[in-house]
Amino acid sequence: MEKKKDTMIKDAIILCLITLVLGAVLAGVYAITKDPIDQAQAKTNNEACEKVVASGDSVQDNDTAKVDAAADYLSKHNLANAEVAEGETLATWVEVKEVHPTSNGGNVYLVDAKKGYGGAVSFALGVDAEGKVTGISITAQSETAGLGANCVNEDWQAGFAGKVLPSDPSQNMYNKEAATDSQVQALSGATVTSRAVTNAVKGVLFCDAAGRGAA
């Protein structure tokens, strides 16, 4: 019995040591890879910001006050742009990570559409001084290949340019049949992804309008 007890203690010690070693290895790998990954993502974000602004416009540094104002607005309004104290708010659908003012009075938003089929869909969204979309560029996604992952297709992204908020605030910004002035055509077989991205765009446009005093 005593021998069995000693063996169990020895095994436990060995397992603890293995766990500590593996933890140290993983921490080392994370420390080595974190900076390159962060730098690569920052490069992707910068390129996306430049891509979504109108010709001749330029992107300025992140405005943290605008980020905070956007977070506050998203947490207090729903998808019909009604102010609510509870229930599903715009913050359920979108998180604004950065806001970059542009030289022509617009803004570029770096956001996460939080309800993609495979998780968050990250993108840059350009909005001009009149609240019109100047472009969108997907920067990260984990959607289903051949379906939701088609959100990276240039043709679909190009369809956002020129879109404005619907005259009816409760209306979707995607249409399964065809595009309109305020709607893009939904991705075939990927309603969840289409809804996630367009609801995020809608939330950003509401924030932008409020920031310009147009909401």
Side-chain angles (χ1 to χ4, degrees):
M1 180 66 71
E2 190 68 29
K3 184 176 180 181
K4 184 176 181 181
K5 182 178 180 181
D6 290 344
T7 300
M8 291 176 64
I9 293 173
K10 184 184 293 185
D11 289 344
I13 292 172
I14 291 171
L15 284 173
C16 286
L17 289 173
I18 291 173
T19 301
L20 288 172
V21 170
L22 288 175
V25 170
L26 289 173
V29 171
Y30 175 77
I32 291 171
T33 59
K34 183 179 185 302
D35 283 347
I37 291 173
D38 288 347
Q39 290 170 13
Q41 188 61 58
K43 182 174 183 292
T44 297
N45 289 344
N46 290 337
E47 291 174 349
C49 286
E50 295 294 340
K51 186 177 180 179
V52 300
V53 296
S55 178
D57 204 355
S58 59
V59 182
Q60 301 169 15
D61 291 338
N62 179 41
D63 187 328
T64 56
K66 288 191 174 186
V67 175
D68 292 340
D72 183 63
Y73 193 89
L74 293 169
S75 69
K76 295 178 180 178
H77 294 79
N78 63 19
L79 278 168
N81 205 29
E83 190 166 356
V84 293
E86 58 183 19
E88 187 176 76
T89 65
L90 290 165
T92 305
W93 291 91
V94 58
E95 179 182 2
V96 173
K97 313 287 280 189
E98 297 181 17
V99 183
H100 296 262
T102 74
S103 59
N104 287 343
N107 291 296
V108 173
Y109 296 83
L110 288 173
V111 308
D112 285 347
K114 297 165 68 174
K115 286 197 171 186
Y117 189 83
V121 178
S122 303
F123 60 88
L125 179 74
V127 185
D128 69 16
E130 278 69 53
K132 184 180 294 186
V133 174
T134 53
I136 186 174
S137 180
I138 306 296
T139 57
Q141 56 83 27
S142 301
E143 303 299 273
T144 305
L147 296 173
N150 288 334
C151 64
V152 302
N153 288 356
E154 291 295 332
D155 287 346
W156 193 68
Q157 293 180 80
F160 283 87
K163 299 304 180 189
V164 295
L165 280 167
S167 56
D168 176 0
S170 64
Q171 186 183 55
N172 289 326
M173 287 194 72
Y174 71 95
N175 189 314
K176 292 183 178 181
E177 303 301 326
T180 69
D181 289 344
S182 58
Q183 296 174 311
V184 296
Q185 186 166 2
L187 291 164
S188 178
T191 301
V192 172
T193 305
S194 302
R195 181 187 298 117
V197 174
T198 55
N199 279 352
V201 169
K202 188 180 182 184
V204 170
L205 291 178
F206 282 145
C207 285
D208 192 80
R212 291 182 289 107

